[in-house]
Amino acid sequence: MKKIGFLSFGHWSASPYSQARSGSDALIQSIELAEAVEALGADGAYFRVHHFAQQLASPFPLLAAIGARTKRIEIGTAVIDMRYENPLYMVEDAGAADLIAGGRLQLGISRGSPEQVIDGFRYFGYAPAEGQTDADMARQHAEAFLQALSGVGFAQPNPSPMFPNPPGLLRPEPHSPGLRDRIWWGAGSRATAEWTGQQGMNLMSSTLLTEDAGVPFHELQAEQIRLFREAWTAAGHEREPRVSVSRSIFALVDDRDRAYFGSGTQESDQVGYLDAQTKAIFGRSYAAEPDVLVKELAKDTAIQAADTLMLTVPNQLGVEYNAHAIESILRYVAPELGWR
């Protein structure tokens, strides 16, 4: 385990118990939490993207703001739903945010998950071609995004432009060198993990997989990671790939921790349905005294196989509490598991 960061879904709610009461609260507190965890020595700040929901949606203004306010941590998404994205406009946004951050973006993208509305991508102007699925469309968007990120020009220049052009075909600007190597695919199955390795993207595996093989979640996820790395090697990619997993982990070190997470945590995997057709296995949560956590997490084979661990945070509990929860993991648990 080389890197530890947090993953926020950026929920907000008018509930009196929520510290994030509005979209403004969720955005500003996301920036503040990123600053806080950088000061604590953590490695990354990641954000989930959902549409038509009281959650974080358009990621690039937030990533650019965090990039301008921090100096060291990785900043990323887990994940952007590519069904909703214009690949070339996304290249421009991602390039700008990455340059502001000094090359620290780590972008997780994927085919997406069930959303708040039916076929929400259609409202954004995108629809699968005849004979295609929405997953096919997402992968096509991803392929166009990756190709444009390469920096190779493809657009025919205007012979009478407003401003002088450089020689040759043109590309979306600004171009951020190296960003192509920092794209991750959110894979929900073993087959998708293999495809990710073939495509030369890093692997981002979350707290659920859309298959149930009758083994503990962490073992199935560790197998997914193994298959990804084998596919990467077989494809002949030269650089070392990266792999992340996300977990809900809370060290019980004070009365607040015990009040929030001291009882009723999900101590075993759960099998359920994302929708009528999609069966999934959900990984367990961890909440215990630090010494107990160390023993439990040491048995999590997927955490051991990954190089990056994302700690999912209950962002509506506020910046101060979430910084405390992350600090507790960094101070009392992570060093015992080989972090740094």
Side-chain angles (χ1 to χ4, degrees), residues 191-252:
T192 305
E194 291 181 290
W195 175 83
T196 303
Q198 294 163 1
Q199 301 302 309
M201 288 183 282
N202 301 309
L203 176 66
M204 192 169 279
S205 190
S206 73
T207 52
L208 67 87
L209 293 172
T210 55
E211 53 185 340
D212 177 17
V215 299
F217 174 83
H218 71 95
E219 293 182 9
L220 181 60
Q221 194 173 43
E223 182 184 357
Q224 182 195 42
I225 293 169
R226 177 182 61 79
L227 292 171
F228 161 75
R229 289 199 167 113
E230 289 177 355
W232 180 282
T233 300
H237 303 302
E238 295 182 357
R239 66 181 176 86
E240 184 71 18
R242 290 186 58 185
V243 175
S244 73
V245 296
S246 58
R247 295 285 188 274
S248 294
I249 305 172
F250 298 95
L252 306 181

Side-chain angles (χ1 to χ4, degrees), residues 179-200:
L179 181 55
R180 169 61 179 84
D181 290 344
R182 289 178 272 117
I183 306 301
W184 307 57
W185 186 265
S189 69
R190 290 168 289 184
T192 305
E194 291 181 290
W195 175 83
T196 303
Q198 294 163 1
Q199 301 302 309

Side-chain angles (χ1 to χ4, degrees), residues 4 31 43 66 88 90 119 125-126 134 138 144 151 168 179 187 189 197 204 215 226 262 328:
I4 297 179
I31 298 169
D43 301 302
I66 294 173
L88 298 187
M90 185 176 171
D119 291 349
Y126 304 110
D134 60 328
L179 181 55
S189 69
M204 192 169 279
V215 299
R226 177 182 61 79
S328 297

Side-chain angles (χ1 to χ4, degrees), residues 132-155:
Q132 285 189 328
T133 66
D134 60 328
D136 295 331
M137 180 179 68
R139 291 193 181 195
Q140 284 186 343
H141 286 185
E143 289 165 1
F145 174 65
L146 295 174
Q147 178 60 38
L149 275 182
S150 70
V152 176
F154 57 87

